Amino acid sequence: MNLAAQADPHLLTRVDLLVLLEARDGWRVSLFTPTIPSDNNGNVIRIKNLLREAEDKLLALGAKPEQARKLLQPARQFAADGDWWRVPAQGLALFVSETEALNYHLPYAPPPLAVVGHRFHVKPLLPMFTSDGHFHVLALSQNEVRLLRGTRMGVTETELTNVPQSLSELLASTETQEQVRWHAGPAGGRRGRLAIFHGGHGVATEDRKDDIREYFRQIDRGLRELLRQHNAPLVLAGVDYLLPLYREVNNYPHLMEGGVTGNPEELSLEDLHRAAWPLVQGMFQQEQRHAREQYELAAGKGQGIHRIEEA
C-alpha cells in the first residue's frame, strides 16, 4: 500500500473526519507535524523521528517487530518521497492502519505528535471544524488560474485539471485548430477569420472579451466537474473587469457576491485567505445562529439535549 499514491493532498472535510472516527479492528497510527517548504531536511527529520516514536509505542503496546515495521512501511515510503513537503501548507497529518494510509495537508502548523491506539487520533484536526466551514477561492488572471480550498485556519492549493492554465494557452490551441480548418477547407470556399488576440492587461475589446469568456467557460466546466458534489461557497479573486466576465458564464450555484479584487498573481496564499475569509465568515456565522435557534426550539419541546451522558 503506497500512502503517497493513494492519498489526495487536500483539506480535510467533515466526511473525511467521520471516516477517520469509524471504529475498526487493529492498530491505528496518527502522526502530525509542521511543514516548512524551505526546510526539506528539517521536515524529513521530524517525520522520521515521529515514525521511530510510533514504532516504539507499537512495540510497548505488544505489537511484534515485524508487524510494527509492516504497518509503518507506507508512512516510511511517504517520508522518503522528496515532493510531499513542497505542497504549500503549514502542516501534515498521516493516518496509517493495516488497511489504509491517508495524508492530509493542514492550513496550520500542529506540534509534532505520534499517537498509537485502536482509533485514529483526530483532536489536532478539530480547529478546522470550529466556528466555520469550508470554502473555495478561484484566483483568475489571464496568465494563470488557481483553485484554493480553505477554512478559518487558512487555505491550500488544489489541482484544477482539464482546464486551460492561461488565456494564451487557450488562444494557441484555438489558433492551431483554426489553421487546420483553414488549410483543410474546400478550394475556393469561404475561409473564416482568425479571431486571435495578443496583448497585455489594458481595457478589454469586444473580441478580447469573447476570448476571455471562452477561457472562463472552459474553467467553469472543469470546476463543475471537480465540485459537482460540493456545496461550499466559492469566492472569486481577480482584477475588477475580469470578475463580471466570469460571472456571466458561471454555473456553480454557490458563487459568492463580491470578490477579492486585484491581481491574484501578486498575492500569496496568506494574502488570499486574509482577503477571502471576511466574505464568507458572515454566512457561516448565520448558519451557526440558525442551528442554535433550531436546537433551542427543539430543547424547549423536550426534543433536544446537549449533554453527552444524556444522549
Side-chain angles (χ1 to χ4, degrees):
M1 176 168 39
N2 188 317
L3 187 151
Q6 281 193 345
D8 174 26
H10 64 276
L11 283 179
L12 202 76
T13 67
R14 295 180 190 276
V15 174
D16 295 323
L17 185 64
L18 291 174
V19 171
L20 291 171
L21 286 170
E22 290 179 1
R24 298 186 183 89
D25 296 331
W27 295 111
R28 299 282 183 274
V29 176
S30 308
L31 306 176
F32 300 88
T33 180
T35 57
I36 305 173
S38 60
D39 185 18
N40 183 23
N41 290 334
N43 292 324
V44 173
I45 289 171
R46 277 189 292 273
I47 199 169
K48 285 184 176 179
N49 289 340
L50 288 172
L51 286 166
R52 208 161 24 241
E53 181 181 345
E55 184 170 2
D56 290 342
K57 289 182 176 180
L58 282 166
L59 296 176
L61 290 169
K64 296 180 180 179
E66 180 60 29
Q67 181 186 17
R69 284 193 294 270
K70 182 178 179 181
L71 181 66
L72 294 174
Q73 184 57 28
R76 287 200 170 95
Q77 291 177 352
F78 180 85
D81 182 352
D83 292 328
W84 60 268
W85 59 273
R86 298 180 186 274
V87 174
Q90 297 183 45
L92 177 73
L94 303 180
F95 299 97
V96 183
S97 71
E98 295 175 355
T99 59
E100 58 193 343
L102 305 168
N103 81 79
Y104 295 97
H105 293 272
L106 307 176
Y108 56 93
L113 180 66
V115 178
V116 176
H118 292 294
R119 288 179 177 270
F120 286 128
H121 182 71
V122 300
K123 186 176 180 180
L125 302 175
L126 297 184
M128 295 180 63
F129 300 94
T130 57
S131 302
D132 68 51
H134 286 75
F135 65 96
H136 305 281
V137 178
L138 183 62
L140 297 164
S141 78
Q142 296 181 53
N143 298 317
E144 68 176 22
V145 54
R146 289 187 290 168
L147 179 64
L148 314 177
R149 298 183 183 182
T151 69
R152 174 177 59 91
M153 306 297 296
V155 295
T156 59
E157 191 166 348
T158 188
E159 186 177 10
L160 183 56
T161 58
N162 300 321
V163 302
Q165 296 302 306
S166 67
L167 180 59
S168 61
E169 178 183 307
L170 171 67
L171 295 180
S173 173
T174 303
E175 185 172 19
T176 299
Q177 293 171 12
E178 290 292 339
Q179 287 174 344
V180 170
R181 286 197 291 269
W182 180 289
H183 292 295
R190 183 179 179 182
R191 290 169 176 157
R193 179 178 64 89
L194 291 182
I196 304 302
F197 176 86
H198 300 280
H201 296 279
V203 177
T205 65
E206 285 307 312
D207 281 349
R208 184 184 184 188
K209 286 182 178 180
D210 288 341
D211 291 333
I212 293 172
R213 287 189 188 95
E214 180 57 29
Y215 171 48
F216 286 167
R217 195 173 287 112
Q218 293 194 27
I219 292 173
D220 173 70
R221 191 178 301 125
L223 189 70
R224 274 183 289 148
E225 176 64 22
L226 183 64
L227 302 182
R228 63 185 182 277
Q229 295 181 343
H230 291 242
N231 59 5
L234 173 67
V235 176
L236 293 182
V239 294
D240 53 5
Y241 75 85
L242 289 181
L243 301 190
L245 294 178
Y246 187 86
R247 292 183 185 279
E248 289 181 21
V249 302
N250 170 69
N251 286 283
Y252 184 67
H254 307 290
L255 181 64
M256 296 288 293
E257 295 293 332
V260 178
T261 56
N263 185 357
E265 297 174 38
E266 300 174 355
L267 300 177
S268 67
L269 294 182
E270 291 76 15
D271 293 333
L272 287 165
H273 177 262
R274 193 178 304 113
W277 171 244
L279 300 178
V280 297
Q281 183 180 20
M283 186 193 72
F284 292 137
Q285 290 175 340
Q286 183 177 357
E287 291 177 351
Q288 292 164 15
R289 286 194 295 269
H290 177 69
R292 184 167 57 249
E293 291 169 359
Q294 291 293 103
Y295 165 74
E296 291 172 351
L297 181 63
K301 298 178 179 179
Q303 298 173 341
I305 56 175
H306 68 276
R307 293 177 56 84
I308 293 178
E309 296 82 2
E310 294 177 16

